[in-house]
């Protein structure tokens, strides 16, 4: 089974495009925090961490990125380029965001408030913590 779990959300088209997501239909956790990333540089990849307890869903609502996800056993690369197709980033999944296209906007829904202690930013520590 693949690591990438995509989350499809409805797209309403009239004189604009409108997207929505609800808990629990598309987002399996109550959302405690949202954040978004804009104006990232193509040659400056981001992420390179896992979360101990936070579950997240990430949408590329404009533009395009490549994501690398890794559970310590398997590594996958996926392209995100559609506002209606997010990716689940459950706790203890190492993730990296690469190759930001110009004007990309990432929207992230998170199950917990920000806590710097929830991050594992060292890959060896991640492997140890995930018993790999
Ligand atoms: C993630 C990926 C997808 C806060 O103060 N509050 C927040 O809610 C967040 C998300 C970040 N910050 C601070 C922490 C750092 O000083 O913003 C700074 C940049 O964070 P970071 O270097 O972790 O950014 P990314 O783009 O590498 O990762 C972000 C999220 O931090 C992370 O949780 O899963 O996007």
């Amino acid at each position: 089974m693949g690591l990438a779990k995509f989350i499809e959300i409805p797209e309403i088209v009239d004189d604009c495009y409108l997207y929505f997501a609800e808990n629990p239909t598309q987002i399996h956790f109550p959302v405690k925090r949202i954040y978004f990333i804009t104006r990232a540089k193509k040659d400056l990849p981001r992420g390179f961490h896992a979360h101990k307890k936070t579950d997240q869903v990430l949408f590329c609502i404009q533009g395009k990125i490549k994501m690398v996800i890794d559970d310590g056993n398997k590594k996958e690369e996926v392209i995100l380029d559609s506002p209606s197709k997010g990716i689940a980033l459950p706790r203890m999944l190492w993730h990296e965001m690469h190759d930001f296209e110009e004007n990309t906007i990432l929207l992230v829904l998170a199950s917990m408030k920000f806590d710097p202690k929830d991050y594992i930013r060292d890959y060896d520590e991640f492997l140890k913590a995930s018993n790999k």
Side-chain angles (χ1 to χ4, degrees):
M1 214 169 72
L3 280 184
K5 304 266 179 301
F6 293 106
I7 313 278
E8 300 272 357
I9 60 170
E11 176 184 82
I12 312 287
V13 185
D14 47 30
D15 51 359
C16 72
Y17 286 69
L18 183 151
Y19 304 88
F20 66 90
E22 292 180 340
N23 164 258
T25 318
Q26 294 90 11
I27 308 299
H28 61 284
F29 50 80
V31 175
K32 292 265 178 64
R33 175 169 54 112
I34 68 159
Y35 59 92
F36 38 93
I37 297 173
T38 67
R39 302 189 214 189
K41 306 270 184 300
K42 189 176 178 63
D43 52 350
L44 290 180
R46 307 190 61 83
F48 295 89
H49 60 253
H51 288 282
K52 294 177 189 165
K53 291 192 180 151
T54 304
D55 299 319
Q56 303 188 105
V57 176
L58 183 151
F59 292 94
C60 185
I61 60 171
Q62 180 168 288
K64 181 176 172 181
I65 56 161
K66 180 175 82 184
M67 287 214 68
V68 174
I69 52 174
D70 178 344
D71 70 353
N73 271 328
K74 258 192 298 192
K75 196 183 259 214
E76 281 179 22
E77 280 186 15
V78 298
I79 299 292
L80 283 186
D81 60 357
S82 165
S84 63
K85 189 174 170 187
I87 186 168
L89 298 177
R91 65 192 73 184
M92 294 309 291
L93 185 71
W94 185 266
H95 52 278
E96 303 168 10
M97 295 94 84
H98 295 264
D99 300 342
F100 282 77
E101 203 175 78
E102 208 183 339
N103 296 325
T104 288
I105 302 176
L106 298 185
L107 172 67
V108 186
L109 312 179
S111 67
M112 291 182 48
K113 290 186 180 174
F114 177 69
D115 177 1
K117 292 194 291 301
D118 187 58
Y119 285 70
I120 304 178
R121 294 189 184 269
D122 179 84
Y123 188 69
D124 289 334
E125 191 189 325
F126 162 70
L127 289 181
K128 221 180 277 173
S130 54
N131 296 317
K132 303 288 164 41

